[in-house]
Amino acid sequence: MRLSRPARAILAGITALILLVIYLPLMVVLVNSFSTSTSLTWPPPGLTLEWWGKAFRSEGALDAVVTSVQIALIATIVSLVLGTLISLVLQRFEFFGRDAVSLLVILPIALPGIITGIALNNAFRTILGLQLSIATVIVAHATFCIVTVFNNVIARLRRLGTNFEDASADLGAGLWTTFRLVTFPQLRSALLAGGLLAFALSFDEIIVTTFTAGAGVKTLPLWILDNLFRPNQAPVVNVIAVVLVLVSIVPIYIAQRLAGAEKVPR
């Protein structure tokens, strides 16, 4: 479809306006991380690198980063295993209620985070009688990280079809051998993309974490929330927020490149 020059100009203007609304606040956070002011004022009275040094020497922030990375890594591993298994079952086998199971798998990421957080909090504390801890946060994160892996893997399985697997079975290979030598190599990029997205999603999650984190469990988003309005902490929080944005962008960018670059053999 070809658009006239005025139509292209209008679409370009609308796109630029939308991008400006989305990314201008992030630029404000970036600039404020170099501000000489100890409060969130605009425009900044001056520029300094002092807050970056303090941020990287902050024990609370560094501990929160380690906690967030640990939770995100374990939740991602769990999501890769369970998301892949669910994808294989739903795509390769016919059974009663398959569509309902597929809906239930995707539902956690569609629900508002506060609903998921409240439900998991009640399940852990009231039904199971568990104390909230880092383990409950990992389980909570895995519930919605599974969806990212599931979506990537099942989309790849649908594109692949079963020709290669059927040929492997005809040649005498067992189920595990077929998966290891035929299916898994073709799923590697989808698994990597899904894992990167799951890690990014877990690393900066805050709503569900608030309801499932026990005493003493402090992830990076929770640390930012706790310190945002403390005296002299706003500039340090801006620095951590910038780092959090960068950490989130990298896996998402890599996942996007992997998803768009690879060509599936036919």
Side-chain angles (χ1 to χ4, degrees):
M1 181 176 64
R2 292 186 177 183
L3 298 176
S4 63
R5 183 172 298 179
R8 290 199 300 267
I10 292 173
L11 287 176
I14 293 174
T15 302
L17 180 61
I18 293 172
L19 293 176
L20 183 65
V21 171
I22 294 173
Y23 290 104
L24 183 59
L26 295 179
M27 295 304 299
V28 172
V29 172
L30 175 62
V31 174
N32 269 332
S33 69
F34 297 99
S35 174
T36 55
S37 173
T38 58
S39 59
L40 298 176
T41 59
W42 187 265
L47 300 177
T48 179
L49 291 174
E50 176 186 359
W51 311 117
W52 283 81
K54 287 187 176 181
F56 285 99
R57 292 193 301 268
S58 172
E59 292 185 4
L62 295 176
D63 289 342
V65 170
V66 172
T67 301
S68 288
V69 170
Q70 289 175 341
I71 292 172
L73 282 175
I74 299 174
T76 298
I77 293 171
V78 172
S79 301
L80 284 170
V81 174
L82 297 181
T84 302
L85 292 176
I86 295 171
S87 301
L88 288 168
V89 169
L90 292 179
Q91 181 59 29
R92 292 294 188 254
F93 299 96
E94 294 279 352
F95 57 90
F96 176 76
R98 187 176 69 166
D99 292 339
V101 173
S102 179
L103 175 63
L104 291 175
V105 172
I106 299 174
L107 192 58
I109 205 169
L111 290 174
I114 191 169
I115 302 300
T116 302
I118 292 173
L120 289 171
N121 181 283
N122 288 332
F124 290 139
R125 295 172 60 249
T126 306
I127 300 176
L128 300 177
L130 299 175
Q131 293 292 327
L132 298 181
S133 63
I134 193 171
T136 56
V137 179
I138 292 171
V139 173
H141 285 202
T143 59
F144 54 81
C145 287
I146 286 175
V147 182
T148 62
V149 177
F150 171 79
N151 286 337
N152 277 273
V153 174
I154 201 167
R156 179 59 54 83
L157 288 172
R158 287 169 179 166
R159 292 171 61 189
L160 288 173
T162 61
N163 292 338
F164 292 105
E165 294 169 356
D166 293 341
S168 175
D170 290 341
L171 293 173
L175 185 63
W176 169 246
T177 301
T178 298
F179 176 78
R180 181 171 57 89
L181 298 179
V182 178
T183 307
F184 178 73
Q186 298 179 95
L187 292 179
R188 278 183 298 201
S189 63
L191 290 171
L192 181 56
L196 289 170
L197 289 173
F199 181 89
L201 192 63
S202 172
F203 188 82
D204 61 10
E205 209 290 322
I206 186 170
I207 299 177
V208 174
T209 308
T210 302
F211 286 92
T212 56
V217 178
K218 190 72 67 177
T219 63
L220 189 56
L222 290 180
W223 184 90
I224 290 175
L225 183 63
D226 289 345
N227 288 270
L228 182 59
F229 299 108
R230 289 186 179 181
N232 301 325
Q233 284 296 310
V236 177
V237 169
N238 280 321
V239 174
I240 300 300
V242 172
V243 174
L244 185 60
V245 170
L246 295 176
V247 171
S248 300
I249 287 175
V250 172
I252 292 174
Y253 173 77
I254 296 174
Q256 185 184 41
R257 296 287 295 180
L258 288 172
E262 179 160 329
K263 295 182 179 178
V264 178
R266 298 182 180 275

